[in-house]
Amino acid sequence: KLAPDAVVVYNLPKVAAELRRRKIPTIGPTHMSMLLEDDRMYAIRIVKQYAVGVVPETKRFNKVEDAAAFAKAQGGRKRWVFKAEGTTVDTNTTHVTESHEHLMAVLDFEGRLNRAKSFVLQEHIDGVEISIEGWFDYRQDDPWVHPCNSTLERKKLFAGDLGPMTGCMGSLVWEWPQERPKLFRQTLENMTAWLKSAEYIGPIDGNFIIDYKEHKPYFIEFSPRLGWNAFEALMAMHGVNWL
């Protein structure tokens, strides 16, 4: 029987494991790589271990009541970002709060709808959100497929972060002229050993906030999978015109 050269698998690590058992290469997640996105606190441990940028203060909660008690104890000294966990949650369960009162309103809103079974509060960093994405193949001597690309995300429909979420319709994606741009060296490149141990093949995207004062990359999250425009960006970078 004929077998495919490779199979692109999206968020199905059990399927990927079975295909690999049959000696069919897969592009996409493994059980280890999915933990980076599904478990934010695990991702933070890896980021600290491998020095993948700077980690802002992050707290996990399973009950909005516990988060509300934590917020009250903080007394409004910091701004927080509310983020539901997992790859299947709606993008509307991310809230960048402007004040203590705004955070409490978000917790009340999410608690009444009961949408977020597990979520984190992450310290808000004043800066520019940017991603760095590279394609990785653990089987190669140089496992990184160059060039890298970055994205400035524009998720809301209107200026001023107003209106409904639109996915990545307003995002700006570009390739870096250098093989190892500074942001890559500060972040994803340090994940090389871990990605090899995970036997990962595919794109991995790291989201960071570059703070305005010291220009350090503060870690937000990983997307170790085919994201909104990962494949399109790769094709464009290699000169494939498919429009």
Side-chain angles (χ1 to χ4, degrees):
K1 295 182 179 179
L2 294 176
D5 295 328
V7 176
V8 177
V9 182
Y10 184 83
N11 286 0
L12 295 170
K14 290 183 179 179
V15 174
E18 175 60 22
L19 289 170
R20 290 185 182 191
R21 189 185 67 80
R22 299 183 187 185
K23 308 300 182 185
I24 299 174
T26 64
I27 299 171
T30 65
H31 285 285
M32 280 183 65
S33 69
M34 284 198 69
L35 279 174
L36 289 179
E37 187 166 14
D38 288 342
D39 189 335
R40 291 183 187 273
M41 302 311 290
Y42 174 78
I44 284 173
R45 291 198 299 273
I46 296 301
V47 166
K48 290 180 177 179
Q49 180 180 348
Y50 290 92
V52 187
V54 184
V55 177
E57 184 178 357
T58 307
K59 302 289 184 182
R60 170 187 275 159
F61 300 95
N62 294 314
K63 296 180 180 179
V64 293
E65 294 82 4
D66 294 340
F70 168 79
K72 288 179 181 177
Q74 293 289 304
R77 291 189 297 272
K78 293 181 179 179
R79 286 179 61 190
W80 297 91
V81 180
F82 177 105
K83 293 184 176 183
E85 292 193 295
T87 57
T88 59
V89 295
D90 194 291
T91 54
N92 286 312
T93 50
T94 294
H95 307 271
V96 180
T97 65
E98 300 293 336
S99 63
H100 175 71
E101 291 73 21
H102 187 186
L103 173 59
M104 298 304 290
V106 165
L107 293 173
D108 177 65
F109 173 72
E110 291 290 345
R112 283 186 287 106
L113 289 185
N114 200 28
R115 299 192 300 174
K117 306 296 184 183
S118 176
F119 61 93
V120 299
L121 294 182
Q122 192 169 68
E123 177 188 2
H124 179 272
I125 303 298
D126 195 21
V128 176
E129 181 175 349
I130 185 174
S131 76
I132 181 76
E133 180 181 72
W135 284 67
F136 192 90
D137 186 345
Y138 77 95
R139 301 167 299 179
Q140 307 300 317
D141 292 335
D142 179 5
W144 291 101
V145 180
H146 302 287
C148 299
N149 69 79
S150 281
T151 300
L152 290 174
E153 292 191 7
R154 186 70 183 176
K155 294 181 178 179
K156 292 294 187 73
L157 180 61
F158 302 113
D161 284 331
L162 300 175
M165 292 286 194
T166 62
C168 69
M169 289 172 59
S171 294
L172 173 66
V173 185
W174 71 94
E175 68 173 282
W176 288 95
Q178 313 95 328
E179 281 201 350
R180 298 173 58 246
K182 182 178 180 180
L183 183 56
F184 172 72
R185 299 195 307 270
Q186 291 176 317
T187 58
L188 287 187
E189 189 173 50
N190 297 338
M191 289 283 288
T192 300
W194 188 92
L195 290 166
K196 282 186 173 181
S197 70
E199 297 187 347
Y200 186 70
I201 303 174
I204 177 165
D205 178 282
N207 252 35
F208 298 87
I209 297 286
I210 308 300
D211 76 298
Y212 288 133
K213 291 183 178 180
E214 298 183 1
H215 302 161
K216 293 180 179 179
Y218 282 79
F219 171 74
I220 301 177
E221 60 196 4
F222 288 119
S223 297
R225 55 179 169 83
L226 285 159
W228 286 99
N229 42 28
F231 191 70
E232 292 91 335
L234 181 71
M235 293 297 98
M237 286 188 294
H238 287 275
V240 177
N241 183 3
W242 59 345
L243 296 179

